[in-house]
């Protein structure tokens, strides 16, 4: 499973990198996002731009590390 750790990535580059990773997935594939804060704004962006195309499951919810499994439907 691919892991995308954005903790050391400059904030302006995070969402484009994450969406690029998502777009490269085949239906049914997933990747694990690792972040230093709750990526709730990213979830809302996915909801707005990719409605019905993804699943979002928290694997770990802080306080220092957040891990989310993002799957393409």
């Amino acid at each position: 499973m691919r892991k995308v750790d954005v903790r050391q990535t400059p904030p302006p580059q995070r969402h484009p990198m994450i969406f690029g990773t998502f777009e490269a997935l085949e239906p049914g594939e997933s990747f694990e996002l690792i972040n230093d804060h709750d990526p709730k704004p990213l979830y809302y962006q996915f909801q707005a731009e990719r409605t019905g195309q993804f699943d979002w499951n928290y694997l770990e919810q802080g306080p220092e590390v957040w891990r989310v499994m993002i799957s393409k439907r």
Side-chain angles (χ1 to χ4, degrees), residues 49-60:
E49 298 179 11
R50 305 292 190 283
T51 304
Q53 299 177 35
F54 73 98
D55 290 310
W56 179 282
N57 296 297
Y58 282 100
L59 303 174
E60 184 175 350

Side-chain angles (χ1 to χ4, degrees), residues 4 7 11 17 21 27 29-30 33 40 43 52 56 60 62 68-69 73:
V4 178
R7 292 176 289 180
M17 180 170 64
T21 301
E29 292 184 330
S30 305
L33 171 66
K40 191 61 86 172
Y43 173 79
W56 179 282
E60 184 175 350
V68 180
M69 182 75 59
R73 291 185 182 165

Side-chain angles (χ1 to χ4, degrees), residues 6-45:
V6 296
R7 292 176 289 180
Q8 301 301 317
T9 303
Q13 297 174 15
R14 291 180 181 190
H15 286 203
M17 180 170 64
I18 293 163
F19 276 99
T21 301
F22 179 79
E23 291 305 318
L25 294 176
E26 294 294 326
E29 292 184 330
S30 305
F31 71 96
E32 180 182 328
L33 171 66
I34 303 165
N35 206 352
D36 56 7
H37 64 275
D38 188 349
K40 191 61 86 172
L42 177 69
Y43 173 79
Y44 293 132
Q45 187 176 353

